[in-house]
Amino acid sequence: MWIWYLDKSEGGDLDAIAARANAAGVKTLFIKSGDGATYWSQFSPLIVGGLRQRGLNVCAWQFVYGKVPSDEADIGARAAQSGAQCLVIDAESDYEGKYTQAKTYMTRLRSQLDPSFPVALTSFPYVDYHPGLPFSVFFQNGADFNLPQVYWKDIGTSPDTAMQHTYVHNKIYGKPIFPLGQSYSDPDPDEMTRFRQLAALYGSSGLSWWSWQASTDRGWKA
């Protein structure tokens, strides 16, 4: 499950977060650690350590713009130093056309991380709709996992159609796919269940949901 603002997720109470996560079978939290070249204080060693002590895996995610890629890379690396077990790079429309910046970011980021440290990219699911986004540069330079944002309700289609399109066009990169599903805007619970079934059918060994603070009670149950 993805966390944008920790204080809007069970009020930031670590015991309450762990209890809800355990009840829903959530094993890993993706918590926002940075926005561009700004580090987010909510991704602190104290918070990360507290959640890990409660039995959860904790990964960081950073939204990137490509304006100051070297500085942004330093922010990504800092999350690893704060105890993150993986880092997800969130590159969206701001990054379209920025191939050189993507190479700079990835080279500097990887130089500060252990070679085995897991790094992933999350972005648009329909890569053919975004030919200017440097997916290939991220994947060729150290992003080992692919977390496409398969927000089928926002796209205006079914989980089946969205997942088929996503997998067909993302397999080209040759990276393991772990789809990011939609729990915001209160999608039908049956569609959430179908999304999970499809992830397994397509061979993904894991998936996640956006986001904690936007999930409804029936979404959590699903």
Side-chain angles (χ1 to χ4, degrees):
M1 181 63 81
W2 289 61
I3 289 179
W4 183 5
Y5 291 104
L6 188 72
D7 60 2
K8 294 183 180 178
S9 305
E10 310 305 311
D13 184 296
L14 302 193
D15 287 328
I17 288 172
R20 172 153 256 183
N22 289 331
V26 170
K27 307 294 184 190
T28 301
L29 303 179
F30 296 85
I31 302 175
K32 187 163 186 179
S33 61
D35 193 82
T38 302
Y39 194 80
W40 278 31
S41 60
Q42 68 178 14
F43 202 89
S44 68
L46 191 66
I47 293 293
V48 174
L51 289 167
R52 291 183 66 178
Q53 285 173 358
R54 289 164 175 79
L56 292 162
N57 298 310
V58 182
C59 287
W61 68 272
Q62 175 192 14
F63 194 90
V64 292
Y65 300 88
K67 294 176 183 176
V68 282
S70 293
D71 293 343
E72 291 186 345
D74 293 343
I75 296 300
R78 183 174 165 186
Q81 295 154 9
S82 294
Q85 292 165 274
C86 72
L87 172 68
V88 185
I89 304 154
D90 185 357
E92 300 182 25
S93 55
D94 292 283
Y95 231 103
E96 297 200 51
K98 295 180 178 174
Y99 287 80
T100 303
Q101 291 90 331
K103 178 73 179 291
T104 299
Y105 173 89
M106 290 304 303
T107 302
R108 187 173 177 91
L109 176 68
R110 269 299 180 193
S111 74
Q112 299 181 65
L113 300 175
D114 185 280
S116 64
F117 186 83
V119 175
L121 175 71
T122 187
S123 192
F124 303 113
Y126 291 6
V127 299
D128 52 319
Y129 285 25
H130 299 275
L133 202 138
F135 294 95
S136 57
V137 180
F138 285 108
F139 289 127
Q140 289 169 6
N141 292 279
D144 300 315
F145 305 96
N146 185 1
L147 281 61
Q149 300 166 8
V150 193
Y151 303 151
W152 68 88
K153 185 175 180 180
D154 249 19
I155 294 168
T157 189
S158 67
D160 287 74
T161 298
M163 289 286 271
Q164 181 183 31
H165 193 128
T166 296
Y167 277 76
V168 164
H169 290 277
N170 279 272
K171 283 182 178 178
I172 186 176
Y173 302 114
K175 302 295 184 182
I177 298 171
F178 297 89
L180 171 49
Q182 178 171 0
S183 63
Y184 68 96
S185 295
D186 195 26
D188 188 298
D190 288 343
E191 292 184 348
M192 295 178 70
T193 300
R194 181 60 178 160
F195 171 82
R196 195 164 56 240
Q197 292 171 342
L198 289 163
L201 286 170
Y202 280 109
S204 292
S205 58
L207 56 86
S208 58
W209 302 95
W210 176 271
S211 68
W212 191 296
Q213 69 193 62
S215 301
T216 62
D217 284 341
R218 73 171 190 165
W220 277 104
K221 289 174 184 173

